[in-house]
Amino acid sequence: MVCSAFIRAAHEHIFLVRKVSHVFRCHQHQACGSRPAASQFAAQGAPGRVVELLGKSYPQDDHTNLTSKVLSKVGRNLHNQKYHPLWLIKERVKEHFYRQYMGRPRTPLFSVYDQLPPVVTTWQNFDSLLIPEDHPSRKKGDNYYLNRGHMLRAHTSAHQWDLLHAGLNAFLVVGDVYRRDQIDSQHYPVFHQLEGVRLFSKHELFAGVKDGESLQLFEESSRSAHKQETHTMEAVKLVEFDLKQVLTRLMTHLFGDGLEVRWVNCYFPFTHPSFELEIKFGGEWIEVLGCGVMEQQLVNSAGAHDRIGWAFGLGLERLAMILYDIPDIRLFWSEDERFLKQFHLSDINQRVKFQPLSKYPAVFNDISFWLPSENYMENDFYDIVRTVGGDLVEKVDLIDKFEHPKMICGSVAILQPCVCVCSRWCSRRRKEPRSLITITTAPLDFAPPDHF
């Protein structure tokens, strides 16, 4: 049964964590129940082993934490599959930028890069974007690492520095990104982003401004809530105005005239000032993207010392779920023709609403298991659930947590220390007979203590 597989998987993960941390003393060989091989769940780092991905080999180390489930998604490139809802969103954004912003001689100002490989260096993903070494976004628990030097990109911004360094001043980057996350209808370890960047020279920025020849992009001053220390207020306000105008036009193009928008101040390590754009849709304010004036240190390091610019990033799934009324992010990975055919549109701007495939209600199951005191993160368990249960698992909730104050650790049967977590997951049975899978609760593979 699927439930017992989860229990065995939980035991296997606890065994691996405790072995790596050298907490097990002499009882790890007595752990109860048969266990699947560790390689089914994660590529645990081991000297001499390699991860084979996209035709290249990457040596494993103590940071390697890829799962077979995530590796199976690499190369799917949903954003490039014609008529896929994510492809529709990408094409609508691309068409808008091509038509609205022209360079010389009447060619699109923005170039588009939607086939860049998802494996990047940690320098590309973090350091090039000025993300500090102690920043929480670097945590192993939140990212998928091939090893300490390479990872699956956590955002399309990982390519920003390279494209700027190549001399590009206006571009869009689209691609799959990877983050370890909780399990629910809004989160998935793989999703898709679209990134936009625009740089301005002094002449381009001040061309339409009265007496613009006397204005400057840069100055020596102090950083404030409104500007960086190297930017003039005139330059920042013009860049900010252009950014907000571009994104407001984009949202209006996607959602229609009369759309209400508002800007919320926020923080990103690679932009300042930074903003989130919210739209009013279905009577609610919904955040749809983040943006800001690019940190000049980043621009300078890429070789564009005489330019100032803006950047934005948005999630394709988020927009598609809103526009097409898709209730669950897992559906984007469906190969069911009943789902895919709904988006075979003659016009990419055609309005369409997703029609549900299943008439069956969710099925809920509860499990409990013991946790080690060290080297455990919730995302470790979520990865196991996704690997064993696949996309049948709709949501996982922590519903209770128990710690016995007097239990002496060391009992082999329950894999001490004595912290027990109860988790609930639900799945939704599908209509076609081959996928009618009922997840039921099976007996635990070990006997719980009498007091529990």
Side-chain angles (χ1 to χ4, degrees):
M1 304 296 283
V2 175
C3 181
S4 60
F6 279 130
I7 296 292
R8 290 194 301 272
H11 283 305
E12 176 65 21
H13 180 72
I14 293 170
F15 177 82
L16 288 169
V17 169
R18 294 174 68 85
K19 185 175 181 181
V20 169
S21 61
H22 304 289
V23 174
F24 263 144
R25 297 294 185 264
C26 59
H27 301 300
Q28 60 262 41
H29 63 283
Q30 301 178 25
C32 298
S34 59
R35 302 188 187 89
S39 60
Q40 292 183 22
F41 304 113
Q44 300 291 331
R49 294 186 180 180
V50 297
V51 177
E52 300 284 349
L53 188 59
L54 300 177
K56 295 185 178 181
S57 299
Y58 300 90
Q60 293 186 25
D61 59 25
D62 61 341
H63 250 54
T64 306
N65 64 350
L66 291 173
T67 66
S68 59
K69 178 71 173 179
V70 169
L71 285 172
S72 70
K73 304 299 184 184
V74 177
R76 288 282 301 275
N77 298 326
L78 301 183
H79 60 289
N80 289 333
Q81 294 182 19
K82 194 171 183 179
Y83 299 121
H84 191 281
L86 300 183
W87 176 85
L88 291 175
I89 298 294
K90 182 198 75 172
E91 290 300 308
R92 292 186 66 186
V93 174
K94 188 169 74 172
E95 178 192 63
H96 173 75
F97 273 87
Y98 279 178
R99 289 184 176 181
Q100 288 290 319
Y101 309 102
M102 303 298 293
R104 289 181 290 183
R106 301 303 298 168
T107 57
L109 176 64
F110 285 82
S111 51
V112 178
Y113 300 87
D114 58 7
Q115 298 190 52
L116 298 175
V119 177
V120 297
T121 65
T122 51
W123 186 91
Q124 288 174 300
N125 200 81
F126 299 119
D127 300 274
S128 72
L129 297 168
L130 311 180
I131 298 175
E133 289 189 6
D134 59 351
H135 197 275
S137 66
R138 290 178 178 254
K139 289 191 302 183
K140 182 179 175 181
D142 292 337
N143 300 285
Y144 288 105
Y145 285 92
L146 283 78
N147 51 43
R148 283 188 174 271
H150 295 85
M151 62 187 297
L152 295 177
R153 62 187 168 211
H155 41 214
T156 48
S157 303
H159 303 286
Q160 197 176 101
W161 189 94
D162 294 303
L163 295 174
L164 291 173
H165 190 65
L168 298 176
N169 295 320
F171 54 85
L172 303 176
V173 180
V174 194
D176 44 337
V177 299
Y178 300 77
R179 296 181 193 173
R180 303 181 75 190
D181 215 332
Q182 64 200 71
I183 299 178
D184 59 34
S185 62
Q186 305 294 315
H187 296 87
Y188 202 77
V190 192
F191 57 102
H192 298 75
Q193 282 187 342
L194 186 148
E195 173 112 355
V197 170
R198 173 81 193 274
L199 297 185
F200 300 89
S201 65
K202 175 183 174 181
H203 171 74
E204 291 169 332
L205 190 62
F206 297 131
V209 179
K210 184 179 179 180
D211 299 325
E213 299 84 1
S214 63
L215 300 176
Q216 301 296 323
L217 295 178
F218 307 111
E219 68 178 9
E220 293 290 337
S221 60
S222 58
R223 178 173 290 238
S224 70
H226 305 290
K227 62 181 285 296
Q228 298 171 38
E229 59 274 19
T230 56
H231 293 159
T232 64
M233 186 62 75
E234 295 85 2
V236 169
K237 289 302 178 184
L238 283 173
V239 171
E240 181 182 325
F241 175 80
D242 185 81
L243 169 63
K244 291 181 176 180
Q245 188 178 56
V246 166
L247 295 178
T248 300
R249 286 175 179 168
L250 174 60
M251 290 301 115
T252 301
H253 168 70
L254 294 175
F255 291 92
D257 295 330
L259 182 71
E260 290 186 61
V261 303
R262 70 182 182 187
W263 299 92
V264 180
N265 294 329
C266 64
Y267 167 78
F268 300 115
F270 33 85
T271 57
H272 181 76
S274 303
F275 314 95
E276 288 179 343
L277 173 59
E278 297 182 353
I279 64 171
K280 195 166 189 180
F281 190 83
E284 298 181 1
W285 285 104
I286 304 173
E287 182 263 313
V288 291
L289 60 82
C291 61
V293 178
M294 296 178 68
E295 282 284 353
Q296 195 60 38
Q297 182 182 342
L298 189 163
V299 178
N300 290 348
S301 70
H305 302 83
D306 59 342
R307 295 177 181 270
I308 185 175
W310 51 249
F312 73 86
L314 57 83
L316 295 183
E317 280 89 347
R318 189 168 186 81
L319 290 180
M321 292 175 81
I322 299 170
L323 280 166
Y324 304 138
D325 203 21
I326 298 175
D328 195 307
I329 195 170
R330 295 172 302 155
L331 286 166
F332 293 109
W333 296 92
S334 174
E335 296 180 348
D336 192 325
E337 282 298 310
R338 294 173 300 165
F339 172 75
L340 297 173
K341 282 184 177 179
Q342 295 186 39
F343 303 96
H344 278 238
L345 309 177
S346 58
D347 180 359
I348 61 174
N349 295 303
Q350 181 180 333
R351 301 287 181 180
V352 61
K353 293 294 183 182
F354 165 72
Q355 300 300 314
L357 307 179
S358 177
K359 64 182 181 181
Y360 296 99
V363 177
F364 293 90
N365 291 275
D366 295 345
I367 66 171
S368 61
F369 52 91
W370 299 94
L371 297 178
S373 60
E374 299 177 10
N375 297 329
Y376 172 81
M377 293 165 282
E378 286 187 7
N379 284 337
D380 296 333
F381 177 63
Y382 295 149
D383 278 342
I384 293 174
V385 172
R386 284 193 171 103
T387 299
V388 177
D391 288 345
L392 281 177
V393 181
E394 184 173 292
K395 187 177 182 181
V396 173
D397 286 321
L398 177 66
I399 58 176
D400 195 16
K401 187 173 182 179
F402 170 80
E403 183 170 359
H404 195 277
K406 297 181 180 180
M407 178 68 73
I408 300 175
C409 297
S411 172
V412 178
I414 58 175
L415 295 179
Q416 299 294 334
C418 316
V419 178
C420 182
V421 172
C422 297
S423 293
R424 168 171 290 173
W425 74 85
C426 66
S427 65
R428 197 172 299 276
R429 291 180 288 182
R430 298 178 182 175
K431 193 171 182 179
E432 66 272 22
R434 65 168 183 255
S435 296
L436 286 177
I437 299 175
T438 303
I439 301 179
T440 58
T441 303
L444 297 177
D445 288 335
F446 62 93
D450 293 337
H451 64 268
F452 183 67

